Amino acid sequence: MLRNFRLVLCQFSAGHDKVANLSKARDLIQQATAAGGQVIVLPECFNSPYSTKYFADYAEEIPGTPETSPSVHFLLEAARNHQVHIIGGSIPEREGNKLYNTSICVSPDGQILKKHRKVHLFDINVPGKIVFFESDVLTAGNEPTIIETPYCKIGVGICYDLRFGEYAWTLSKSEDVGLLVYPGNFNMTTGPKHWELLLRSRAVDNQIFVAACSQARNTSSEYVSYGHSMVVNPWGEILSSTEFDEGLVVQDIDFGVLNENRGSIWTRRHKRFELYER
Ligand SMILES: NC(=O)CC(=O)C(=O)O
């Protein structure tokens, strides 16, 4: 069953001071709750600068302890204190000698519902613009992630996962998945070209709500984020978005629109899988 709810995206910029990053996230979650948010989303890499050279230093075990894994326990406490679901952006996760880019999804009773390890690592070389190789230090996850909430099932990906239509379909194919959420952090090379296009495409392809929560833009950072956190409906219409600054995107998710869209256009049942693998 799909039940309407209020979604809030918290766009902010994470710097070198982990304590300050968590404090900023705490303030925004507080504001998101005051705005009536029931599912709250943070950006990719919300506790650390987004750079492969820092991931090991900022990485935490999941769940770890409040002392060894302060970002994890901050999320659990925030969800419990405010009685909300939190899709906790992502943090660098350490398990044994491996690092992952991992989103922790938490229920209102402060329990980890699931963790999503970014399944497609962001490796890119646009000459003169951006070179970034997550695979230098990170290991990819191997599981598609869907969490259950009282409102709908939510499919989760992280940033570069958004580029893969096949992954979005893997998450979306069950009728009770009403929303795809991508904590993200596109940059000033790819963001203006692809961010909105990809969000709207995933929404139309899968006849589903799509939300992506970005870091805010900080021009003095080594990696300059594109911002533009956004919520798109199953028609591919942008319902709400922001630009570069820190702040909230507050959006009511009305599943009447999803039912209307799926009831009017039948692409979900017109798929010809027998052709696509040829
Ligand atoms: N940061 C990412 O994972 C992805 C990205 O910036 C892009 O695909 O562009």
Side-chain angles (χ1 to χ4, degrees):
M1 226 217 9
L2 302 173
R3 260 180 61 200
N4 297 348
F5 69 98
R6 184 165 292 179
L7 175 71
V8 183
L9 313 180
C10 302
Q11 175 168 301
F12 67 95
S13 166
H16 288 260
D17 182 343
K18 193 192 264 193
V19 173
N21 296 335
L22 299 190
S23 161
K24 212 184 266 188
R26 185 174 293 109
D27 285 352
L28 285 169
I29 291 172
Q30 161 78 46
Q31 289 175 36
T33 309
Q38 293 161 294
V39 177
I40 296 173
V41 186
L42 302 182
E44 179 178 33
C45 220
F46 76 91
N47 73 342
S48 151
Y50 186 59
S51 166
T52 52
K53 67 180 178 229
Y54 298 120
F55 290 158
D57 290 342
Y58 287 78
E60 298 180 12
E61 288 182 354
I62 301 174
T65 67
E67 290 71 35
T68 59
S69 300
S71 312
V72 180
H73 287 266
F74 152 74
L75 291 170
L76 306 184
E77 192 185 308
R80 197 169 43 236
N81 284 347
H82 295 294
Q83 292 293 297
V84 290
H85 286 81
I86 298 181
I87 298 176
S90 77
I91 63 166
E93 177 198 358
R94 182 189 303 284
E95 188 182 69
N97 58 4
K98 291 189 173 160
L99 296 175
Y100 302 88
N101 186 342
T102 303
S103 183
I104 303 161
C105 305
V106 188
S107 62
D109 57 358
Q111 302 298 316
I112 297 178
L113 283 170
K114 276 199 183 154
K115 64 179 181 184
H116 174 70
R117 290 173 166 167
K118 192 173 191 173
V119 290
H120 306 91
L121 295 182
F122 178 47
D123 288 353
I124 188 173
N125 182 357
V126 184
K129 300 265 173 69
I130 177 171
V131 179
F132 202 98
F133 279 85
E134 281 192 326
S135 65
D136 283 346
V137 298
L138 297 181
T139 301
N142 287 318
E143 290 294 328
T145 301
I146 297 174
I147 59 167
E148 287 199 38
T149 74
Y151 318 111
C152 65
K153 289 186 182 162
I154 300 176
V156 180
I158 300 175
C159 204
Y160 191 59
D161 289 337
L162 172 62
R163 290 189 179 271
F164 297 86
E166 298 86 346
Y167 180 65
W169 175 246
T170 300
L171 298 176
S172 308
K173 58 186 163 199
S174 166
E175 291 294 318
D176 51 2
V177 179
L179 169 69
L180 301 182
V181 167
Y182 296 90
N185 197 18
F186 271 39
N187 51 78
M188 293 307 297
T189 300
T190 59
K193 291 180 172 38
H194 295 156
W195 176 257
E196 177 188 325
L197 175 69
L198 287 167
L199 282 160
R200 297 180 65 194
S201 304
R202 295 297 84 90
V204 173
D205 284 349
N206 299 292
Q207 303 189 276
I208 198 161
F209 287 93
V210 178
C213 181
S214 173
Q215 287 212 24
R217 187 174 177 190
N218 174 359
T219 47
S220 55
S221 158
E222 288 164 52
Y223 182 97
V224 182
S225 308
Y226 178 56
H228 291 81
S229 297
M230 190 176 284
V231 183
V232 180
N233 75 12
W235 291 100
E237 294 164 327
I238 298 172
L239 295 179
S240 47
S241 66
T242 186
E243 294 193 345
F244 299 109
D245 295 337
E246 298 193 336
L248 303 181
V249 174
V250 180
Q251 182 58 54
D252 287 328
I253 301 296
D254 176 355
F255 289 113
V257 176
L258 179 145
N259 292 331
E260 176 202 42
N261 178 268
R262 290 187 186 177
S264 317
I265 303 176
W266 304 300
T267 52
R268 292 175 66 90
R269 63 177 119 107
H270 287 164
K271 289 186 187 290
R272 302 277 317 272
F273 290 109
E274 77 279 13
L275 302 181
Y276 308 151
E277 291 295 324
R278 270 188 204 165

